[in-house]
Coordinates of all heavy atoms in Angstrom, one line a residue:
M616 N -22.8 -43.0 -36.0 CA -23.9 -42.1 -35.9 C -25.2 -42.9 -36.0 O -25.3 -43.7 -36.9 CB -23.8 -41.0 -36.9 CG -25.0 -40.2 -37.1 SD -24.9 -38.8 -38.3 CE -23.6 -39.1 -39.4
S617 N -26.1 -42.7 -35.1 CA -27.4 -43.3 -35.1 C -28.5 -42.3 -35.4 O -28.5 -41.3 -34.8 CB -27.6 -44.1 -33.8 OG -28.9 -44.7 -33.9
I618 N -29.4 -42.6 -36.4 CA -30.5 -41.7 -36.7 C -31.8 -42.6 -36.8 O -31.7 -43.8 -37.0 CB -30.2 -41.0 -38.0 CG1 -30.1 -41.9 -39.2 CG2 -29.0 -40.1 -37.9 CD1 -30.2 -41.3 -40.5
K619 N -32.9 -41.8 -36.7 CA -34.2 -42.4 -37.0 C -34.7 -41.9 -38.3 O -34.6 -40.7 -38.5 CB -35.2 -42.1 -35.9 CG -36.5 -42.8 -36.1 CD -37.4 -42.6 -34.9 CE -38.7 -43.4 -35.1 NZ -39.6 -43.2 -33.9
V620 N -35.2 -42.8 -39.2 CA -35.7 -42.4 -40.5 C -37.2 -42.7 -40.6 O -37.5 -43.9 -40.3 CB -34.9 -43.0 -41.7 CG1 -35.4 -42.5 -43.0 CG2 -33.4 -42.8 -41.5
L621 N -38.0 -41.8 -41.0 CA -39.4 -41.9 -41.1 C -39.8 -41.8 -42.6 O -39.2 -41.0 -43.3 CB -40.2 -40.9 -40.4 CG -39.8 -40.7 -38.9 CD1 -40.5 -39.4 -38.3 CD2 -40.1 -41.9 -38.1
Y622 N -40.7 -42.7 -43.0 CA -41.2 -42.7 -44.4 C -42.7 -42.5 -44.4 O -43.4 -43.2 -43.7 CB -40.8 -44.0 -45.1 CG -39.4 -44.4 -45.0 CD1 -38.9 -45.4 -44.1 CD2 -38.4 -43.8 -45.8 CE1 -37.6 -45.7 -44.0 CE2 -37.1 -44.1 -45.8 CZ -36.7 -45.1 -44.8 OH -35.4 -45.4 -44.7
F623 N -43.1 -41.5 -45.2 CA -44.5 -41.2 -45.2 C -45.2 -41.4 -46.6 O -44.6 -41.4 -47.6 CB -44.7 -39.7 -44.9 CG -44.4 -39.4 -43.4 CD1 -43.1 -39.0 -43.0 CD2 -45.3 -39.6 -42.4 CE1 -42.8 -38.8 -41.7 CE2 -45.0 -39.4 -41.1 CZ -43.8 -38.9 -40.7
A624 N -46.5 -41.6 -46.5 CA -47.4 -41.6 -47.7 C -47.0 -42.7 -48.7 O -46.8 -43.9 -48.3 CB -47.5 -40.3 -48.3
S625 N -46.9 -42.4 -49.9 CA -46.6 -43.4 -51.0 C -45.3 -44.0 -50.8 O -45.0 -45.2 -51.2 CB -46.8 -42.8 -52.4 OG -45.9 -41.8 -52.6
L626 N -44.3 -43.3 -50.2 CA -43.0 -43.8 -49.9 C -43.1 -45.0 -48.9 O -42.5 -46.0 -49.1 CB -42.0 -42.8 -49.4 CG -41.3 -41.9 -50.4 CD1 -40.5 -40.9 -49.8 CD2 -40.5 -42.8 -51.4
R627 N -43.9 -44.8 -47.9 CA -44.1 -45.8 -46.9 C -44.7 -47.1 -47.6 O -44.2 -48.2 -47.3 CB -45.0 -45.3 -45.8 CG -45.3 -46.4 -44.7 CD -46.2 -45.9 -43.6 NE -47.5 -45.5 -44.2 CZ -48.1 -44.3 -44.0 NH1 -47.6 -43.4 -43.2 NH2 -49.2 -44.0 -44.5
E628 N -45.6 -46.9 -48.4 CA -46.2 -48.0 -49.1 C -45.3 -48.7 -50.1 O -45.2 -49.9 -50.1 CB -47.5 -47.5 -49.9 CG -48.6 -47.0 -49.0 CD -49.7 -46.3 -49.8 OE1 -49.7 -46.4 -51.0 OE2 -50.5 -45.6 -49.1
T629 N -44.5 -47.9 -50.8 CA -43.5 -48.5 -51.8 C -42.4 -49.3 -51.0 O -42.1 -50.4 -51.4 CB -42.9 -47.4 -52.6 OG1 -43.9 -46.7 -53.4 CG2 -41.8 -47.9 -53.6
L630 N -41.9 -48.7 -50.0 CA -40.7 -49.3 -49.3 C -41.2 -50.4 -48.3 O -40.3 -51.2 -48.0 CB -40.0 -48.2 -48.5 CG -39.4 -47.1 -49.4 CD1 -38.8 -46.0 -48.5 CD2 -38.4 -47.6 -50.4
G631 N -42.4 -50.3 -47.8 CA -42.8 -51.3 -46.9 C -42.4 -51.0 -45.5 O -42.4 -51.9 -44.6
Y632 N -41.9 -49.8 -45.2 CA -41.5 -49.4 -43.9 C -42.1 -48.1 -43.5 O -42.2 -47.2 -44.4 CB -39.9 -49.2 -43.9 CG -39.1 -50.4 -43.9 CD1 -38.7 -51.0 -45.1 CD2 -38.7 -51.0 -42.8 CE1 -37.9 -52.1 -45.2 CE2 -37.9 -52.2 -42.8 CZ -37.5 -52.7 -44.0 OH -36.7 -53.8 -44.1
S633 N -42.5 -47.9 -42.3 CA -42.9 -46.6 -41.8 C -41.7 -45.8 -41.1 O -41.7 -44.6 -41.1 CB -44.1 -46.7 -40.9 OG -43.7 -47.4 -39.7
H634 N -40.8 -46.6 -40.6 CA -39.6 -46.0 -40.0 C -38.5 -47.1 -39.8 O -38.8 -48.3 -39.8 CB -40.0 -45.4 -38.6 CG -40.4 -46.5 -37.6 ND1 -41.6 -47.1 -37.6 CD2 -39.7 -47.1 -36.6 CE1 -41.6 -47.9 -36.6 NE2 -40.5 -48.0 -36.0
E635 N -37.3 -46.6 -39.5 CA -36.2 -47.5 -39.1 C -35.2 -46.7 -38.4 O -35.1 -45.5 -38.6 CB -35.6 -48.2 -40.3 CG -35.0 -47.4 -41.4 CD -34.5 -48.1 -42.6 OE1 -33.9 -49.2 -42.4 OE2 -34.7 -47.7 -43.7
T636 N -34.4 -47.4 -37.6 CA -33.2 -46.7 -36.9 C -32.0 -47.3 -37.6 O -31.8 -48.5 -37.8 CB -33.2 -47.1 -35.4 OG1 -34.4 -46.6 -34.9 CG2 -32.0 -46.4 -34.7
L637 N -31.1 -46.4 -38.0 CA -29.9 -46.7 -38.7 C -28.6 -46.3 -38.0 O -28.6 -45.2 -37.4 CB -29.9 -46.1 -40.1 CG -31.0 -46.5 -41.1 CD1 -30.9 -45.6 -42.3 CD2 -30.9 -48.0 -41.4
T638 N -27.6 -47.1 -38.1 CA -26.3 -46.7 -37.7 C -25.5 -46.4 -39.0 O -25.4 -47.3 -39.8 CB -25.6 -47.7 -36.9 OG1 -26.4 -48.0 -35.7 CG2 -24.2 -47.3 -36.5
L639 N -25.1 -45.2 -39.2 CA -24.5 -44.8 -40.5 C -23.0 -44.8 -40.5 O -22.4 -44.5 -39.5 CB -25.0 -43.3 -40.8 CG -26.5 -43.1 -41.0 CD1 -26.8 -41.7 -41.3 CD2 -27.0 -44.0 -42.1
P640 N -22.4 -45.1 -41.6 CA -21.0 -45.1 -41.7 C -20.5 -43.6 -41.7 O -21.3 -42.7 -42.0 CB -20.7 -45.7 -43.1 CG -21.9 -45.6 -43.8 CD -23.1 -45.6 -42.8
A641 N -19.3 -43.4 -41.4 CA -18.8 -42.0 -41.2 C -18.8 -41.2 -42.5 O -18.8 -40.0 -42.5 CB -17.3 -42.0 -40.7
S642 N -18.9 -41.9 -43.7 CA -19.0 -41.2 -45.0 C -20.3 -40.5 -45.2 O -20.4 -39.7 -46.2 CB -18.7 -42.3 -46.1 OG -19.7 -43.3 -46.1
I643 N -21.3 -40.8 -44.4 CA -22.6 -40.1 -44.6 C -22.6 -38.8 -43.8 O -22.7 -38.9 -42.5 CB -23.8 -41.0 -44.1 CG1 -23.7 -42.4 -44.8 CG2 -25.1 -40.3 -44.4 CD1 -23.9 -42.4 -46.3
A644 N -22.5 -37.7 -44.5 CA -22.4 -36.4 -43.8 C -23.6 -35.5 -44.0 O -23.9 -34.7 -43.2 CB -21.1 -35.7 -44.2
T645 N -24.3 -35.7 -45.1 CA -25.4 -34.8 -45.5 C -26.7 -35.6 -45.8 O -26.6 -36.8 -46.0 CB -25.1 -34.0 -46.7 OG1 -25.0 -34.9 -47.9 CG2 -23.8 -33.2 -46.5
L646 N -27.8 -34.9 -45.9 CA -29.0 -35.5 -46.3 C -28.9 -36.2 -47.7 O -29.4 -37.3 -47.9 CB -30.1 -34.5 -46.3 CG -31.6 -34.9 -46.5 CD1 -32.0 -36.0 -45.5 CD2 -32.5 -33.7 -46.4
G647 N -28.2 -35.5 -48.6 CA -28.0 -36.1 -49.9 C -27.3 -37.4 -49.9 O -27.6 -38.3 -50.6
D648 N -26.2 -37.4 -49.0 CA -25.5 -38.7 -48.9 C -26.4 -39.8 -48.3 O -26.3 -40.9 -48.8 CB -24.3 -38.5 -47.8 CG -23.3 -37.5 -48.3 OD1 -23.1 -37.2 -49.5 OD2 -22.5 -37.0 -47.4
L649 N -27.2 -39.4 -47.4 CA -28.1 -40.4 -46.8 C -29.1 -41.0 -47.9 O -29.3 -42.2 -48.0 CB -28.9 -39.8 -45.7 CG -30.0 -40.8 -45.1 CD1 -29.4 -42.1 -44.5 CD2 -30.8 -40.0 -44.0
R650 N -29.7 -40.1 -48.7 CA -30.6 -40.5 -49.8 C -29.9 -41.5 -50.7 O -30.4 -42.5 -51.1 CB -31.1 -39.3 -50.5 CG -32.4 -38.8 -49.9 CD -33.0 -37.7 -50.8 NE -33.5 -38.3 -52.0 CZ -34.2 -37.6 -52.9 NH1 -34.4 -36.3 -52.8 NH2 -34.6 -38.1 -54.0
S651 N -28.7 -41.1 -51.1 CA -27.9 -42.0 -52.0 C -27.6 -43.3 -51.4 O -27.7 -44.4 -52.0 CB -26.6 -41.3 -52.4 OG -26.8 -40.1 -53.1
H652 N -27.2 -43.3 -50.1 CA -26.9 -44.5 -49.4 C -28.2 -45.4 -49.3 O -28.0 -46.6 -49.6 CB -26.5 -44.1 -48.0 CG -26.2 -45.3 -47.0 ND1 -25.1 -46.1 -47.2 CD2 -26.9 -45.8 -46.0 CE1 -25.1 -47.0 -46.2 NE2 -26.2 -46.9 -45.5
L653 N -29.3 -44.9 -49.1 CA -30.5 -45.7 -49.0 C -30.9 -46.2 -50.4 O -31.3 -47.3 -50.6 CB -31.7 -44.9 -48.4 CG -31.5 -44.5 -46.9 CD1 -32.6 -43.5 -46.5 CD2 -31.6 -45.8 -46.1
A654 N -30.8 -45.3 -51.4 CA -31.1 -45.7 -52.8 C -30.3 -46.9 -53.3 O -30.7 -47.7 -54.1 CB -31.1 -44.5 -53.7
Q655 N -29.0 -46.9 -52.8 CA -28.1 -48.0 -53.2 C -28.5 -49.4 -52.7 O -27.9 -50.4 -53.2 CB -26.7 -47.7 -52.8 CG -26.1 -46.5 -53.5 CD -24.7 -46.1 -53.0 OE1 -24.2 -46.6 -52.0 NE2 -24.1 -45.0 -53.6
R656 N -29.5 -49.4 -51.9 CA -30.0 -50.7 -51.5 C -30.6 -51.5 -52.7 O -30.8 -52.6 -52.7 CB -31.1 -50.6 -50.4 CG -30.6 -50.1 -49.1 CD -31.7 -49.9 -48.1 NE -31.2 -49.7 -46.7 CZ -32.0 -49.4 -45.7 NH1 -33.3 -49.2 -45.9 NH2 -31.5 -49.2 -44.5
G657 N -31.0 -50.7 -53.7 CA -31.6 -51.2 -54.9 C -33.1 -51.5 -54.8 O -33.7 -51.3 -53.8
G658 N -33.6 -52.0 -55.9 CA -35.1 -52.4 -55.9 C -35.9 -51.2 -55.6 O -35.8 -50.1 -56.1
V659 N -36.9 -51.4 -54.7 CA -37.8 -50.3 -54.3 C -37.2 -49.1 -53.7 O -37.7 -48.0 -53.8 CB -38.9 -50.9 -53.4 CG1 -39.8 -51.9 -54.0 CG2 -38.4 -51.3 -52.0
W660 N -36.0 -49.3 -53.1 CA -35.3 -48.2 -52.5 C -34.8 -47.2 -53.5 O -34.5 -46.0 -53.1 CB -34.1 -48.7 -51.7 CG -34.6 -49.5 -50.5 CD1 -34.7 -50.9 -50.5 CD2 -35.0 -49.0 -49.3 NE1 -35.3 -51.2 -49.3 CE2 -35.5 -50.1 -48.5 CE3 -35.1 -47.7 -48.8 CZ2 -36.0 -49.9 -47.2 CZ3 -35.7 -47.6 -47.5 CH2 -36.1 -48.7 -46.8
E661 N -34.8 -47.5 -54.8 CA -34.4 -46.5 -55.8 C -35.5 -45.4 -55.9 O -35.2 -44.3 -56.5 CB -34.3 -47.2 -57.2 CG -33.1 -48.1 -57.2 CD -33.0 -48.9 -58.5 OE1 -33.8 -48.7 -59.4 OE2 -32.1 -49.8 -58.5
A662 N -36.6 -45.5 -55.2 CA -37.6 -44.5 -55.1 C -37.0 -43.2 -54.4 O -37.5 -42.1 -54.5 CB -38.8 -44.9 -54.3
L663 N -35.9 -43.4 -53.6 CA -35.2 -42.3 -53.0 C -34.1 -41.8 -53.8 O -33.4 -40.8 -53.3 CB -34.8 -42.7 -51.6 CG -35.8 -43.0 -50.6 CD1 -35.3 -43.7 -49.3 CD2 -36.5 -41.8 -50.2
G664 N -33.8 -42.3 -54.9 CA -32.6 -42.0 -55.7 C -32.7 -40.6 -56.3 O -33.7 -39.9 -56.3
E665 N -31.5 -40.2 -56.8 CA -31.3 -38.9 -57.4 C -32.3 -38.7 -58.5 O -32.6 -39.6 -59.3 CB -29.9 -38.7 -57.9 CG -29.6 -37.3 -58.3 CD -28.1 -37.2 -58.7 OE1 -27.3 -37.8 -58.1 OE2 -27.8 -36.4 -59.7
G666 N -32.9 -37.5 -58.6 CA -33.8 -37.2 -59.7 C -35.3 -37.6 -59.3 O -36.2 -37.2 -60.0
R667 N -35.5 -38.3 -58.2 CA -36.8 -38.6 -57.7 C -37.4 -37.4 -57.0 O -36.7 -36.8 -56.2 CB -36.8 -39.9 -56.9 CG -36.3 -41.1 -57.6 CD -37.2 -41.5 -58.7 NE -36.7 -42.7 -59.4 CZ -37.3 -43.8 -59.4 NH1 -38.5 -44.0 -58.8 NH2 -36.8 -44.8 -60.1
N668 N -38.7 -37.2 -57.1 CA -39.3 -36.0 -56.4 C -39.7 -36.4 -55.0 O -40.7 -36.9 -54.8 CB -40.5 -35.6 -57.2 CG -40.9 -34.2 -56.9 OD1 -40.3 -33.5 -56.1 ND2 -42.0 -33.7 -57.4
V669 N -38.7 -36.2 -54.1 CA -38.9 -36.6 -52.7 C -38.5 -35.4 -51.8 O -37.5 -34.7 -52.1 CB -38.0 -37.8 -52.3 CG1 -38.1 -38.1 -50.9 CG2 -38.4 -39.0 -53.1
R670 N -39.3 -35.1 -50.9 CA -39.0 -34.0 -49.9 C -38.4 -34.6 -48.7 O -38.6 -35.8 -48.4 CB -40.3 -33.2 -49.6 CG -41.1 -32.7 -50.7 CD -40.6 -31.5 -51.4 NE -40.2 -30.4 -50.5 CZ -40.9 -29.3 -50.3 NH1 -42.1 -29.2 -50.8 NH2 -40.4 -28.4 -49.5
A671 N -37.7 -33.8 -47.9 CA -37.1 -34.3 -46.7 C -37.1 -33.3 -45.6 O -37.1 -32.1 -45.9 CB -35.7 -34.8 -47.0
A672 N -37.1 -33.8 -44.4 CA -37.0 -32.9 -43.2 C -36.0 -33.5 -42.2 O -35.9 -34.7 -42.1 CB -38.4 -32.7 -42.5
I673 N -35.3 -32.7 -41.5 CA -34.5 -33.1 -40.4 C -35.0 -32.4 -39.1 O -35.2 -31.2 -39.1 CB -33.0 -32.7 -40.6 CG1 -32.4 -33.3 -41.9 CG2 -32.1 -33.0 -39.4 CD1 -31.0 -32.9 -42.3
N674 N -35.4 -33.3 -38.2 CA -35.9 -32.8 -36.9 C -37.1 -31.9 -37.1 O -37.2 -30.8 -36.5 CB -34.8 -32.2 -36.0 CG -33.7 -33.1 -35.7 OD1 -34.0 -34.3 -35.5 ND2 -32.5 -32.7 -35.7
Q675 N -38.0 -32.3 -38.1 CA -39.2 -31.6 -38.4 C -39.1 -30.2 -39.1 O -40.0 -29.4 -39.0 CB -40.1 -31.5 -37.1 CG -40.5 -32.8 -36.6 CD -41.4 -32.8 -35.4 OE1 -41.9 -31.7 -35.0 NE2 -41.6 -33.9 -34.7
E676 N -37.9 -30.0 -39.7 CA -37.7 -28.8 -40.4 C -37.3 -29.2 -41.8 O -36.3 -30.0 -42.0 CB -36.6 -27.9 -39.8 CG -37.0 -27.3 -38.5 CD -36.0 -26.3 -38.0 OE1 -35.2 -25.8 -38.8 OE2 -36.0 -26.1 -36.7
M677 N -37.9 -28.6 -42.8 CA -37.6 -28.9 -44.2 C -36.1 -28.7 -44.4 O -35.5 -27.8 -43.9 CB -38.3 -28.0 -45.2 CG -39.8 -28.2 -45.2 SD -40.3 -29.9 -45.5 CE -39.7 -30.1 -47.2
A678 N -35.5 -29.6 -45.2 CA -34.0 -29.6 -45.4 C -33.6 -29.9 -46.8 O -34.3 -30.6 -47.5 CB -33.4 -30.6 -44.5
S679 N -32.6 -29.2 -47.3 CA -32.0 -29.4 -48.6 C -31.0 -30.5 -48.6 O -30.5 -30.9 -47.5 CB -31.4 -28.1 -49.1 OG -30.3 -27.8 -48.3
P680 N -30.6 -31.1 -49.7 CA -29.7 -32.2 -49.7 C -28.3 -31.9 -49.1 O -27.6 -32.8 -48.7 CB -29.5 -32.5 -51.2 CG -30.7 -32.0 -51.8 CD -31.1 -30.8 -51.0
D681 N -27.9 -30.6 -49.1 CA -26.6 -30.3 -48.5 C -26.6 -30.1 -47.0 O -25.6 -29.8 -46.4 CB -26.0 -29.1 -49.2 CG -26.8 -27.9 -49.0 OD1 -28.0 -27.9 -48.7 OD2 -26.3 -26.8 -49.3
K682 N -27.8 -30.2 -46.4 CA -27.9 -30.1 -44.9 C -27.2 -31.2 -44.2 O -27.4 -32.4 -44.5 CB -29.4 -30.0 -44.5 CG -29.6 -29.9 -43.1 CD -29.5 -28.5 -42.6 CE -30.0 -28.4 -41.2 NZ -29.6 -27.1 -40.6
A683 N -26.4 -30.9 -43.2 CA -25.6 -31.9 -42.4 C -26.6 -32.8 -41.6 O -27.6 -32.3 -41.1 CB -24.7 -31.2 -41.5
V684 N -26.2 -34.1 -41.5 CA -27.0 -35.0 -40.7 C -26.1 -35.3 -39.4 O -24.9 -35.5 -39.5 CB -27.2 -36.3 -41.5 CG1 -27.8 -37.4 -40.6 CG2 -28.1 -36.1 -42.7
A685 N -26.8 -35.3 -38.3 CA -26.0 -35.5 -37.0 C -26.6 -36.6 -36.2 O -27.7 -37.1 -36.4 CB -26.1 -34.2 -36.2
D686 N -25.8 -37.1 -35.3 CA -26.2 -38.2 -34.4 C -27.5 -37.9 -33.7 O -27.8 -36.7 -33.3 CB -25.1 -38.5 -33.4 CG -25.4 -39.7 -32.6 OD1 -25.8 -40.7 -33.2 OD2 -25.1 -39.7 -31.3
R687 N -28.4 -38.8 -33.7 CA -29.8 -38.8 -33.1 C -30.7 -37.9 -33.8 O -31.8 -37.6 -33.3 CB -29.7 -38.3 -31.6 CG -28.9 -39.2 -30.8 CD -28.9 -38.8 -29.3 NE -28.0 -39.6 -28.5 CZ -27.7 -39.3 -27.3 NH1 -28.2 -38.3 -26.7 NH2 -26.9 -40.1 -26.6
D688 N -30.4 -37.5 -35.1 CA -31.4 -36.8 -35.9 C -32.6 -37.6 -36.2 O -32.4 -38.9 -36.3 CB -30.8 -36.2 -37.2 CG -30.0 -34.9 -37.0 OD1 -30.2 -34.3 -36.0 OD2 -29.3 -34.5 -38.0
E689 N -33.7 -37.0 -36.5 CA -34.9 -37.7 -37.0 C -35.0 -37.2 -38.4 O -35.2 -35.9 -38.6 CB -36.1 -37.4 -36.2 CG -37.4 -38.0 -36.7 CD -38.6 -37.6 -36.0 OE1 -39.1 -36.5 -36.2 OE2 -39.0 -38.4 -35.1
I690 N -34.9 -38.1 -39.4 CA -35.0 -37.7 -40.8 C -36.4 -38.2 -41.4 O -36.7 -39.4 -41.1 CB -33.9 -38.3 -41.6 CG1 -32.5 -38.2 -41.0 CG2 -33.9 -37.8 -43.1 CD1 -32.0 -36.8 -40.8
A691 N -37.1 -37.4 -42.1 CA -38.4 -37.8 -42.6 C -38.3 -37.6 -44.2 O -37.8 -36.6 -44.6 CB -39.5 -37.0 -42.1
F692 N -38.7 -38.6 -44.9 CA -38.9 -38.6 -46.3 C -40.3 -38.7 -46.7 O -41.0 -39.5 -46.2 CB -38.1 -39.7 -47.0 CG -36.6 -39.6 -46.9 CD1 -35.9 -40.4 -46.0 CD2 -35.9 -38.6 -47.6 CE1 -34.5 -40.3 -45.9 CE2 -34.5 -38.5 -47.4 CZ -33.8 -39.3 -46.6
F693 N -40.7 -37.9 -47.7 CA -42.1 -37.9 -48.1 C -42.3 -37.3 -49.5 O -41.4 -36.5 -49.9 CB -43.0 -37.2 -47.1 CG -42.5 -35.8 -46.8 CD1 -42.9 -34.7 -47.4 CD2 -41.6 -35.7 -45.7 CE1 -42.4 -33.4 -47.1 CE2 -41.1 -34.4 -45.3 CZ -41.5 -33.3 -46.0
P694 N -43.3 -37.8 -50.2 CA -43.5 -37.2 -51.6 C -44.0 -35.8 -51.5 O -44.6 -35.4 -50.4 CB -44.6 -38.2 -52.2 CG -45.3 -38.7 -51.0 CD -44.3 -38.8 -49.9
P695 N -43.9 -35.0 -52.5 CA -44.5 -33.7 -52.5 C -46.0 -33.8 -52.3 O -46.6 -34.7 -52.7 CB -44.2 -33.1 -53.8 CG -43.6 -34.2 -54.7 CD -43.3 -35.3 -53.8
V696 N -46.5 -32.8 -51.6 CA -48.0 -32.8 -51.3 C -48.7 -32.0 -52.3 O -48.3 -31.0 -52.7 CB -48.2 -32.2 -49.9 CG1 -49.7 -32.1 -49.6 CG2 -47.5 -33.0 -48.8
T697 N -49.8 -32.6 -52.8 CA -50.6 -31.9 -53.8 C -52.0 -31.8 -53.2 O -52.4 -32.6 -52.4 CB -50.7 -32.7 -55.1 OG1 -51.3 -33.9 -54.9 CG2 -49.3 -32.8 -55.8
G698 N -52.7 -30.8 -53.6 CA -54.0 -30.6 -53.0 C -54.9 -30.0 -54.1 O -54.5 -29.7 -55.2
G699 N -56.1 -29.9 -53.8 CA -57.0 -29.3 -54.8 C -58.2 -28.7 -54.3 O -58.6 -28.4 -53.2

């Protein structure tokens, strides 16, 4: 399965990437699996780890960790937005 992953705002700055294309192992079935997979890279990637306040969307729709990830999906990760 091949997906495109986008990183926004402070996540983009922390990770040093705005986007990447990944070929995922078959064990990655959900958005939560993907976050765990990315966080296991270690170092700055732990910013995506469990318990971190990160929002996500699949194909421009907000998604929960149990949402299925499919071939050619576009996944976006971003910090919660605050305003004033």
Side-chain angles (χ1 to χ4, degrees):
M616 167 176 21
S617 180
I618 62 167
K619 182 174 184 178
V620 184
L621 308 173
Y622 306 102
F623 290 96
S625 61
L626 277 176
R627 179 181 59 229
E628 295 168 14
T629 298
L630 301 174
Y632 286 89
S633 62
H634 68 279
E635 62 182 318
T636 300
L637 299 173
T638 299
L639 298 177
S642 61
I643 307 298
T645 66
L646 184 57
D648 294 341
L649 175 60
R650 274 188 66 177
S651 295
H652 178 73
L653 294 170
Q655 288 174 2
R656 291 175 169 176
V659 296
W660 293 95
E661 292 175 6
L663 292 169
E665 189 174 325
R667 301 295 180 115
N668 198 3
V669 175
R670 307 284 311 261
I673 298 177
N674 301 322
Q675 300 182 8
E676 291 186 22
M677 296 302 297
S679 62
D681 61 344
K682 179 78 172 171
V684 175
D686 190 40
R687 299 185 186 172
D688 275 349
E689 179 185 80
I690 314 295
F692 291 109
F693 48 93
V696 178
T697 60

